[in-house]
Amino acid sequence: MTATIDTGLTKAERNDVVQELSKVLADSFALYLKTHGYHWNVRGPEFFSYHTLLEEQYREVWAALDDIAERIRALGEFAPQAHSAFANLTSIKDGDPENDAPTMLKELMKDHETVIATCRAALAVADDEGDDVSVDLLTQRLAAHEKSAWMLRSTLGGR
Ligand SMILES: [Fe+2]
């Protein structure tokens, strides 16, 4: 008996969604790494509040990585797992520890917006392919990234 997949989605439908989820995973991994690095290297009179905010945010993204990767597995494909694979797939630029605190927070705010755009594109594909589980996951990721972007924006004095 072969272990074939019969979940109501065709291989082509599953592959289309996996391609998009792989980009979301790569962006999320890059944002996780950058947020954790800025948690370590941020400096200034507001150090403790920035350090704490960034910890909350990197922990949230870290937990999501597993959900996104395991969704790719449930769709029958391998999750990307190498630095080189993530580097090829992500649109997030590396952080710089020399940056001052406002530059770090502004970069992270824009990076959350980048992940939001990647999630929205992925959600549209998942919706087209009838993959409600991925639509649900991506809706949750959008909510989390919009909330993190708001917190960074407000910390910077914006609305
Ligand atoms: Fe820490």
Side-chain angles (χ1 to χ4, degrees):
M1 175 186 151
T2 53
T4 53
I5 300 176
D6 182 15
T7 58
L9 297 171
T10 65
K11 183 164 178 58
E13 287 166 344
R14 286 186 275 111
N15 284 353
D16 279 353
V17 177
V18 164
Q19 281 199 10
E20 299 301 311
L21 287 176
S22 297
K23 292 182 214 164
V24 173
L25 181 64
D27 273 3
S28 303
F29 185 78
L31 180 57
Y32 158 75
L33 201 61
K34 189 167 176 176
T35 305
H36 206 151
Y38 281 175
H39 160 84
W40 295 326
N41 292 316
V42 71
R43 302 167 313 283
E46 299 295 321
F47 168 80
F48 193 73
S49 64
Y50 296 158
H51 182 72
T52 304
L53 173 66
L54 297 183
E55 174 161 354
E56 192 176 297
Q57 295 194 344
Y58 79 66
R59 284 180 184 274
E60 194 285 324
V61 179
W62 176 257
L65 293 175
D66 208 48
D67 294 335
I68 301 161
E70 292 184 0
R71 181 63 197 150
I72 293 172
R73 294 296 298 124
L75 289 165
E77 298 299 323
F78 291 131
Q81 65 165 71
H83 275 294
S84 54
F86 288 135
N88 286 335
L89 286 165
T90 188
S91 339
I92 307 283
K93 303 257 185 302
D94 286 343
D96 180 351
E98 300 283 349
N99 283 336
D100 61 18
T103 303
M104 287 182 178
L105 298 185
K106 192 164 177 201
E107 276 186 8
L108 291 175
M109 181 192 75
K110 300 309 285 180
D111 292 336
H112 278 281
E113 291 174 354
T114 298
V115 185
I116 286 167
T118 305
C119 286
R120 277 194 204 290
L123 195 150
V125 171
D127 199 24
D128 276 356
E129 303 298 6
D131 179 357
D132 296 332
V133 176
S134 295
V135 166
D136 178 56
L137 173 62
L138 290 162
T139 303
Q140 292 178 47
R141 296 314 305 145
L142 278 171
H145 288 294
E146 287 191 30
K147 183 172 179 179
S148 289
W150 152 54
M151 289 196 176
L152 291 162
R153 195 167 62 241
S154 287
T155 303
L156 287 161
R159 289 182 66 149

